[in-house]
Amino acid sequence: MIHEKTFSLAADREAKIILKGNAEDHAGQVNIDFEFLIKEKHDKSFRLPIGVDHPKYWKLKRLTPEKSQLLQLVYSGISRKHLDEAIREFKQFFGAGYVFKEAVNVSERLKTLRGIRLSHVSRNLLPAV
């Protein structure tokens, strides 16, 4: 099962969380995998937060898949509130009786997730628009 949730963020950015779940019939366990995408105001489609032209791209390539997924999450601008909301909706689709296991234990690995970071100048310009 795939669940997509799109959030409008500050600075004309949208973020999409894609949750993929594989249910094991005999165990009643659902393995959850995440994907994080962003779309700027001028973009036509969603893309990964850290692309080839991003300064952290080569660091991302050296990391394990779990750590690279966490880095993509941090640079997407998604807050903990958004992530929790998407996970809660995903679990509601499956209903009671399932045990959920995250491929990357995001909630335990990231202590703080504050969303998109704006400079003082950007913060003052947003209400003016």
Side-chain angles (χ1 to χ4, degrees):
M1 178 177 171
I2 297 174
H3 176 62
E4 295 183 3
K5 181 76 175 174
T6 305
F7 298 99
S8 294
L9 304 176
D12 295 328
R13 177 186 270 191
E14 291 182 6
K16 182 185 283 191
I17 302 173
I18 302 173
L19 295 114
K20 299 173 187 172
N22 300 324
E24 298 176 8
D25 294 330
H26 62 281
Q29 182 174 341
V30 177
N31 297 321
I32 302 173
D33 192 25
F34 297 92
E35 187 175 353
F36 306 101
L37 303 172
I38 61 168
K39 183 173 109 176
E40 303 290 339
K41 180 174 79 171
H42 62 278
D43 292 339
K44 293 183 181 182
S45 61
F46 284 91
R47 61 178 173 81
L48 291 172
I50 299 176
V52 178
D53 58 345
H54 196 278
K56 296 284 184 180
Y57 178 75
W58 295 108
K59 178 181 181 180
L60 180 77
K61 290 299 175 187
R62 289 191 307 260
L63 296 175
T64 63
E66 294 83 19
K67 288 185 179 181
S68 65
Q69 191 174 36
L70 292 173
L71 190 63
Q72 293 278 11
L73 169 61
V74 169
Y75 277 89
S76 69
I78 295 172
S79 68
R80 180 169 296 283
K81 179 182 171 184
H82 293 138
L83 185 63
D84 291 342
E85 181 182 336
I87 292 172
R88 185 175 51 251
E89 286 181 8
F90 182 74
K91 288 180 179 180
Q92 286 176 351
F93 285 123
F94 274 97
Y98 287 96
V99 176
F100 296 92
K101 180 182 174 193
E102 298 174 9
V104 177
N105 205 350
V106 174
S107 55
E108 290 182 14
R109 304 275 311 263
L110 287 177
K111 301 298 180 198
T112 59
L113 188 59
R114 295 191 177 130
I116 198 164
R117 287 148 181 88
L118 297 174
S119 68
H120 178 68
V121 174
S122 298
R123 208 172 290 129
N124 289 336
L125 290 176
L126 281 176
V129 174

